[in-house]
Amino acid sequence: MRIGELAERAGTTPRALRYYEQLGLLPARRAGNGYRAYGEEDLRLLRQIRTLQDFGFGLEETRPFVECLQAGHPHGDSCPASLEVYRRKLAELDECITRLQEVRTQVAGQFARAERERDELAAGAGAGGEPPQCEWAARSAVEWEES
């Protein structure tokens, strides 16, 4: 099959395929007429690359999976190098999850504090007192009245 058909079947563009060729992820074979020629195995490689990219893997991280398939293994993650990439990616994801949980805890704390302060202000206004205004709002009201 030619580059346009492969790109369409793989859900990508011919430009991306040429880039993958430059990186050595996709074999560059030419037919007798000079056109690039691809087979079902190339489609399989591209599907592996695209799936890993959808999971957040960089192109270089896909290389061991591609090489594993090219070596004749039934799955791109059958080789030790692919398993090591999985191991590193899982550690990276765990680190991101930990950071996100820390940020979430901080945001939840800020939210709870802000709600408490809002409720305290509302309670003060309900008791006949004026809730304090922020400095900017008070200054803007005075400036508006003076103009």
Side-chain angles (χ1 to χ4, degrees):
M1 82 184 87
R2 294 189 29 196
I3 193 167
E5 181 184 350
L6 179 63
E8 185 178 326
R9 288 182 63 189
T12 190
T13 65
R15 183 176 179 189
L17 299 185
R18 287 189 288 273
Y19 182 62
Y20 296 163
E21 281 183 10
Q22 286 178 342
L23 295 177
L25 293 171
L26 185 65
R29 291 183 301 276
R30 301 277 179 170
N33 59 7
Y35 292 128
R36 288 175 172 87
Y38 301 99
E40 291 299 319
E41 187 59 30
D42 297 314
L43 180 60
R44 187 171 174 226
L45 294 176
L46 285 171
R47 286 183 174 150
Q48 178 75 77
I49 292 168
R50 302 284 294 161
T51 297
L52 291 168
Q53 283 189 300
D54 288 347
F55 291 158
F57 287 72
L59 275 176
E60 272 309 308
E61 291 174 310
T62 69
R63 186 175 301 281
F65 298 86
V66 169
E67 290 171 352
C68 191
L69 286 172
Q70 289 172 328
H73 293 274
H75 302 285
D77 57 7
S78 302
C79 299
S82 302
L83 297 175
E84 182 55 34
V85 172
Y86 274 155
R87 197 172 284 112
R88 283 194 311 264
K89 184 57 79 173
L90 284 170
E92 180 184 314
L93 290 169
D94 288 341
E95 185 179 322
C96 286
I97 289 167
T98 298
R99 281 190 307 216
L100 285 171
Q101 287 172 331
E102 290 168 357
V103 169
R104 188 195 186 289
T105 298
Q106 292 175 354
V107 170
Q110 291 293 91
F111 177 66
R113 180 202 48 79
E115 277 192 321
R116 273 193 314 275
E117 288 178 3
R118 183 207 58 204
D119 293 345
E120 289 169 4
L121 289 174
E130 287 286 321
Q133 294 182 345
C134 71
E135 183 179 324
W136 180 85
R139 190 172 344 118
S140 294
V142 169
E143 291 170 1
W144 185 76
E145 288 175 5
E146 291 176 355
S147 56

